[in-house]
Amino acid sequence: MRIAVYPGSFDPITYGHMDVIERSAPLFDRLIVAVFCNPLKEPLFSADERVEMIRESTRHLSNVEVDSSDGLLTDYARRRGAGVIVKGLRAVSDFLFEFQMAMVNKYNAPEIETLFIVTSPQYSYLSSSIVRELGQLGGCLKGFIPPNVEKRVRDKFSAGR
Ligand code: PNS
């Protein structure tokens, strides 16, 4: 069984993340989308909310599972029997950090490979932080995030967080 983990903050999931999920899921028997909690970042959505939004958005993909974790990614991947970590690369600006992460993950778990998927050009500028800022300022989110996620972002900001 070929199992891969696609880790991220997903705060919230965007069409850029969806692009990576939809293109990498067919490469594996199971793709686990794993929401990681970064202790250095204050998230907009709780881990449970992020998991729910990803589940709603990936319902059409039968081999995609959604989970959350904290701690080391490589410990999680080993626990789940995953041999591959999938990462999305939008632009050169992503590369330095992702390269660093891939090296640390390789040091921690030499048997696990990192696979980079280059994001489709129409999503190369898109990020969760741009979505959060647009949401806070009442900007248009159409085409950036799935409709179920758009509703959650709107609700979150209209509730005053
Ligand atoms: O969507 P993001 O914020 O770019 O995702 C970053 C993430 C969650 C993939 C990264 O922070 C991560 O791998 N966190 C788990 C902790 C870990 O293993 N860190 C790497 C070694 S220091």
Side-chain angles (χ1 to χ4, degrees), residues 1 5 9 35 43 69 76 89 100 125 129 134 138 146 157 160:
M1 182 110 156
V5 179
S9 305
V35 172
S69 186
Y76 176 80
L89 271 187
Q100 216 175 4
Y125 61 91
S129 58
L134 281 170
F157 286 112

Side-chain angles (χ1 to χ4, degrees), residues 7-10 36 38 41 71-74 87 98 101 104-105:
S9 305
F10 305 108
F36 272 83
N38 183 340
K41 282 191 200 166
L72 275 183
L73 169 60
T74 42
K87 289 297 201 77
E98 290 300 341
M101 286 287 114
V104 172
N105 291 334

Side-chain angles (χ1 to χ4, degrees), residues 6 9 20 25 33 47 50-51 56 86 92 106-107 117 122-123 127 156:
Y6 176 33
S9 305
V20 173
V33 181
R50 286 179 269 164
V51 165
E56 289 164 6
V86 171
V92 181
K106 195 73 184 164
Y107 179 81
I117 300 263
Q122 66 269 35
Y123 303 123
S127 68
K156 183 67 82 174

Side-chain angles (χ1 to χ4, degrees), residues 1-6 20-32 62-64 81-87 113-117:
M1 182 110 156
R2 290 164 308 153
I3 303 174
V5 179
Y6 176 33
V20 173
I21 294 170
E22 285 174 343
R23 288 168 52 210
S24 53
L27 306 178
F28 302 97
D29 295 306
R30 180 182 301 160
L31 178 70
I32 304 168
S62 59
N63 67 333
V64 170
V84 174
I85 293 167
V86 171
K87 289 297 201 77
E113 296 296 346
T114 298
L115 177 75
F116 289 111
I117 300 263

Side-chain angles (χ1 to χ4, degrees), residues 54-122:
I54 303 169
R55 284 209 179 113
E56 289 164 6
S57 311
T58 57
R59 235 178 237 142
H60 59 295
L61 300 166
S62 59
N63 67 333
V64 170
E65 177 191 327
V66 188
D67 194 11
S68 65
S69 186
D70 43 27
L72 275 183
L73 169 60
T74 42
D75 288 348
Y76 176 80
R78 273 184 177 150
R79 213 163 50 238
R80 298 303 314 270
V84 174
I85 293 167
V86 171
K87 289 297 201 77
L89 271 187
R90 286 167 300 191
V92 181
S93 50
D94 278 344
F95 183 74
L96 194 59
F97 179 67
E98 290 300 341
F99 183 77
Q100 216 175 4
M101 286 287 114
M103 290 298 135
V104 172
N105 291 334
K106 195 73 184 164
Y107 179 81
N108 286 341
E111 78 282 12
I112 299 177
E113 296 296 346
T114 298
L115 177 75
F116 289 111
I117 300 263
V118 176
T119 310
S120 298
Q122 66 269 35

